[in-house]
Amino acid sequence: MAPMGIRLSPLGMAVFCLLGLGVLYHLYSGFLAGRFAFFMLSEPAAGGPETPRGSALAGAVDLRELLAVSVLAAVRGGEEVKRVREGNVLNAKAKGKTREGAEEQLTSGDLLSNRRMFYLLKGAFPAVQINSEERVDTADQETVSWDRSIPEDIKQKIQPKEVPAESVTVWIDPLDATQEYTEDLRQYVTTMVCVAVNGKPVIGVIHKPFSAYTAWAMVDGGSNIKARASYNEKTPRIIVSRSHAGKVEQVARQTFGNKTVIIPAGGAGYKVLALLDVAEKNQEEADVYIHVTYIKKWDICAGNAVLRALGGHMTTLTGEEISYTGSDGNEGGLIASINMNHKALIEKLPDLEKTSHK
């Protein structure tokens, strides 16, 4: 027997469709109402403040912006340093002594550069902790604005990256190599800014005021400087502070032989640049940078960040990473290198660590 067909009248079809629409309405009405409410709540009230689109985190800092203002701060500070030196109005005076008993100098260049750099950075990023070599006198407070422009070379090489403001510490050295500055040894003088995140140096800026040369780098970002093509590991040229070249020379020649070259120089920033590809006639070249005594963190943080960004190393003489939180001093001396076996260098120079705490 042939199967029987079921046929619906037009009225039955209409009733069936209405039932289907009712089921769909019941299923989706709650979902649509919820989405509509969320949309209404997320829109700012008329005339009310809008959430900034560029800030994904509350109290966040964009490291690309912080790099841009750090470069500007180093340059602006350098302008003060150069102006004071060329006008011969240093007003140099002693501000104390180092642990080795050497007199530390303070000049108008230090103070004016510090004021310009500190207030530029503080105005741009008021929530960030800033540590400086020189004390900031509130009586000398000035407004130094930043137009929030980012140089094209930084835009091209660095992507925006936000971190919590409370994780950031900025270290500034408004005039590195003050002693040499008073002696008119201008090639050693730099202004520096470093940004540390959770104690690790991630942005470094080293500026040479008298030649207008600026090196900058950001870890996992980019840089405008690079390592040299080659380095001598067997008989390295070692750059050290002018004040204690003899200590390093004796141990270095015992380790690497009598052909080892020791380069006495001023300024930690200058010494780091000596390890890199810097096309300047007054910039010496070295393979390793060693410091065997106590040193302040604002002297070395920027150089540490630059080396890290390029794949190099700066550690204590025993190979420990230097933390840029807490105290402002580094007790363990330092050894810095790039494109060399850093661990092997440390193992060859064990005796230097004993003098770093003196």
Side-chain angles (χ1 to χ4, degrees):
M1 180 182 291
M4 296 179 62
I6 299 175
R7 302 180 67 181
L8 292 176
S9 67
L11 178 62
M13 287 290 291
V15 171
F16 181 81
C17 289
L18 286 172
L19 286 173
L21 288 172
V23 171
L24 290 173
Y25 175 80
H26 177 73
L27 289 173
Y28 287 99
S29 61
F31 172 78
L32 293 172
R35 294 302 296 169
F36 179 76
F38 175 80
F39 175 78
M40 293 300 293
L41 288 171
S42 63
E43 284 291 304
E50 291 189 16
T51 302
R53 294 184 181 272
S55 179
L57 300 168
V61 171
D62 181 357
L63 291 179
R64 184 171 75 166
E65 290 187 346
L66 190 46
L67 168 60
V69 76
S70 295
V71 169
L72 182 61
V75 171
R76 291 279 180 84
E79 290 169 357
E80 297 296 318
V81 168
K82 184 179 180 182
R83 181 177 63 82
V84 168
R85 179 66 265 183
E86 292 184 342
N88 200 28
V89 286
L90 275 66
N91 297 317
K93 60 181 180 181
K95 69 173 182 179
K97 292 189 176 183
T98 66
R99 290 189 179 185
E100 295 80 43
E103 199 170 72
E104 286 192 287
Q105 297 288 313
L106 179 67
T107 71
S108 295
D110 295 90
L111 297 175
L112 293 172
S113 173
N114 184 67
R115 186 170 69 183
R116 183 60 57 91
M117 294 174 71
F118 179 87
Y119 285 115
L120 177 56
L121 287 158
K122 198 65 177 175
F125 294 95
V128 166
Q129 172 69 35
I130 301 176
N131 296 335
S132 174
E133 179 174 8
E134 308 305 339
R135 186 172 62 88
V136 178
D137 192 341
T138 54
D140 292 331
Q141 184 171 350
E142 63 176 81
T143 301
V144 186
S145 61
W146 176 47
D147 62 6
R148 309 201 76 81
S149 64
I150 299 175
E152 283 302 317
D153 60 340
I154 293 178
K155 276 186 180 179
Q156 292 172 7
K157 295 180 180 180
I158 306 293
Q159 295 299 313
K161 181 179 181 180
E162 291 188 331
V163 296
E166 63 269 20
S167 70
V168 175
T169 305
V170 176
W171 296 84
I172 61 176
D173 192 341
L175 201 170
D176 189 36
T178 299
Q179 180 62 44
E180 286 73 19
Y181 182 65
T182 63
E183 298 172 18
D184 209 15
L185 299 173
R186 303 182 183 194
Q187 71 271 25
Y188 297 127
V189 175
T190 62
T191 57
M192 297 188 286
V193 182
C194 176
V195 176
V197 178
N198 295 320
K200 294 183 178 181
V202 298
I203 290 174
V205 180
I206 304 174
H207 175 68
K208 302 179 80 171
F210 297 102
S211 64
Y213 174 84
T214 306
W216 59 260
M218 177 173 159
V219 175
D220 297 328
S223 69
N224 72 342
I225 191 171
K226 62 183 180 180
R228 297 200 311 271
S230 63
Y231 295 85
N232 190 337
E233 291 196 55
K234 293 184 177 179
T235 54
R237 293 163 294 178
I238 301 175
I239 194 163
V240 299
S241 292
R242 294 167 70 215
S243 60
H244 57 260
K247 291 182 182 179
V248 181
E249 182 173 5
Q250 182 180 357
V251 176
R253 288 191 169 152
Q254 289 174 356
T255 305
F256 297 107
N258 292 330
K259 292 184 179 180
T260 302
V261 175
I262 302 298
I263 304 171
Y270 178 90
K271 296 184 189 82
V272 168
L273 292 179
L275 305 183
L276 304 173
D277 187 5
V278 177
E280 285 205 333
K281 62 180 182 180
N282 289 330
Q283 178 66 61
E284 295 166 286
E285 291 186 354
D287 302 302
V288 181
Y289 167 27
I290 293 175
H291 189 87
V292 298
T293 59
Y294 175 85
I295 191 168
K296 296 288 188 160
K297 291 178 181 177
W298 43 67
D299 289 320
I300 59 176
C301 186
N304 197 340
V306 170
L307 288 172
R308 281 189 72 219
L310 299 177
H313 303 275
M314 179 185 287
T315 65
T316 66
L317 293 170
T318 56
E320 297 174 358
E321 296 295 333
I322 301 167
S323 174
Y324 293 91
T325 56
S327 70
D328 60 12
N330 172 51
E331 297 278 358
L334 71 84
I335 180 168
S337 69
I338 186 167
N339 291 351
M340 297 178 72
N341 188 332
H342 192 76
K343 185 178 179 181
L345 288 171
I346 293 168
E347 291 172 350
K348 289 180 179 179
L349 300 169
D351 295 334
L352 287 177
E353 196 274 336
K354 296 176 184 177
T355 66
S356 65
H357 299 281
K358 294 180 180 178

